[in-house]
Amino acid sequence: MTATGPAHDYLAPAWLPGRHAQTIWPLLIKGSLPAYRRERWETPDHDFIDLDWVAGEPGSACVALFHGLEGNSRSHYSRRLMHALRHLGWHGVVVHFRGCSGAPNRLPRAYHSGDSVEIDWILRRLQARGFPALFAAGISLGGNALLKWLAEQGSEASRVIDAAAAVSAPLNLAAANAALSSGFNRVYARHFLRTLIPAALAKERSFPGCIDIQRARASRTLRDFDDAVTAPLHGFLGADDYYARSSAGPLLAAVRTPTLLLHATNDPFLPATALPSREQMPDAVTLEIHPRGGHVGFVAGAPPGHLDWLPQRLLAHFGAHLPRQFSVR
């Protein structure tokens, strides 16, 4: 469906008008940090990832969260979802992509929007822990990577997780990066580049010759950076090849696991024209597009507002797909 029933309607507050206010304000009201327990996993290629956990009750479900570009367990959406899970009594884990947990990873490679192989390894390892139900949520970049994995796995994905959700995913990476290269949106690109470029320069110091350091330092848009750094580090011919091979949008018809695809038409990171239609979606995908909300915003309530609507929407979706013997308390 392209709209939701009254229980899931989102109403953007009148005091917070516009896509940019609805995107930026959550950064100012993200709230307290959950009491995380960190766990480090060694990867098959002798690197590592860090996972930050909140503990649930014995025998409860688990939700794995894949964050967005340069995000982590301190991001506002991570905090709010993990607090909601703790209140519900479920397990929650924020999976850090390589290099995003505060410690540089060991290899030249880092992470990218289409890394479904990494998603597969992580979710299968979580599944092996024997949770009675396992759910996966992806935010922005993490949402695109998760959707790509769901599509590539088809019906096999349902053997690993019970349901999934993707929020503000850049389904068309070329369109998303074009949007972030013009007008006010360049503010977001500069924000990301402030951490991406220093990390790339540190990679070059550790692995001389892995990237074109001059092009990396001169990047003024995310496309510049992807062409100079992301693509060569991860086996792509360039930014265009990276975007074409990593965008989840063209693959969505193959998704067979119950999946909530949540977006706002005023998301500054992806033009509304790049959003899919209901007719393009398989039965397994619930397409929920709201007219407002910004990019992973969805602020609700009177000033200063709160960020509870989004985690509650995700948990309602996951709760509807619990195995029969379990229920949301």
Side-chain angles (χ1 to χ4, degrees):
M1 56 183 168
T2 308
T4 54
H8 302 313
D9 281 347
Y10 168 70
L11 181 64
W15 59 268
L16 193 65
R19 63 183 59 196
H20 300 302
Q22 291 164 11
T23 298
I24 295 170
W25 189 250
L27 303 175
L28 306 178
I29 60 168
K30 52 186 161 185
S32 63
L33 199 65
Y36 288 124
R37 175 183 63 83
R38 175 154 292 188
E39 182 177 352
R40 177 163 291 186
W41 288 1
E42 296 292 317
T43 64
D45 59 355
H46 308 295
D47 205 343
F48 71 90
I49 62 167
D50 288 328
L51 301 91
D52 282 353
W53 290 86
V54 294
E57 297 174 359
S60 62
C62 178
V63 176
L65 176 64
F66 296 95
H67 60 76
L69 181 64
E70 294 299 271
N72 51 46
S73 63
R74 305 176 72 88
S75 299
H76 66 82
Y77 49 80
S78 301
R79 298 180 189 219
R80 298 318 309 163
L81 180 59
M82 293 300 120
H83 276 306
L85 288 167
R86 187 70 179 267
H87 179 74
L88 190 60
W90 287 12
H91 303 282
V93 58
V94 182
V95 180
H96 289 99
F97 291 118
R98 301 189 194 203
C100 291
S101 62
N105 65 305
R106 300 175 189 141
L107 299 180
R109 63 149 295 172
Y111 68 101
H112 63 87
S113 296
D115 200 356
S116 52
V117 173
E118 191 96 316
I119 298 281
D120 185 70
W121 172 71
I122 291 165
L123 289 177
R124 290 181 187 276
R125 184 162 173 173
L126 288 171
Q127 178 203 24
R129 295 206 167 178
F131 296 107
L134 177 62
F135 304 107
I139 305 296
S140 194
L141 176 150
N144 184 83
L146 176 61
L147 289 167
K148 183 171 178 282
W149 174 80
L150 288 163
E152 291 170 347
Q153 293 294 315
S155 58
E156 172 64 19
S158 294
R159 298 178 182 270
V160 182
I161 63 173
D162 294 275
V167 180
S168 302
L171 303 171
N172 182 325
L173 291 168
N177 279 275
L180 290 170
S181 298
S182 62
F184 182 87
N185 288 356
R186 286 177 291 185
V187 169
Y188 303 119
R190 287 196 293 269
H191 169 75
F192 291 129
L193 291 171
R194 276 198 293 269
T195 54
L196 287 168
I197 292 175
L201 300 182
K203 288 280 186 191
E204 170 62 23
R205 288 193 293 271
S206 298
F207 305 96
C210 69
I211 59 170
D212 184 330
I213 194 169
Q214 298 304 323
R215 290 183 63 212
R217 187 180 283 118
S219 296
R220 294 294 177 265
T221 67
L222 287 175
R223 190 188 186 285
D224 292 341
F225 182 85
D226 288 336
D227 203 47
V229 180
T230 310
L233 282 183
H234 300 100
F236 299 102
L237 299 177
D240 291 338
D241 183 47
Y242 166 43
Y243 298 155
R245 291 168 56 190
S246 299
S247 294
L251 309 176
L252 292 176
V255 175
R256 295 293 179 267
T257 300
T259 299
L260 173 65
L261 182 53
L262 180 63
H263 214 95
T265 54
N266 74 342
D267 186 335
F269 286 36
L270 186 68
T273 54
L275 294 174
S277 67
R278 172 63 264 181
E279 292 69 32
Q280 296 172 300
M281 294 299 95
D283 292 340
V285 175
T286 298
L287 180 63
E288 188 170 307
I289 300 177
H290 297 273
R292 295 176 179 82
H295 184 74
V296 200
F298 300 102
V299 180
H306 60 80
L307 302 177
D308 296 330
W309 183 88
L310 180 56
Q312 293 306 318
R313 179 65 191 100
L314 298 183
L315 292 182
H317 171 67
F318 295 147
H321 296 285
L322 280 168
R324 291 183 181 179
Q325 64 268 39
F326 296 96
S327 60
V328 179
R329 74 180 190 195

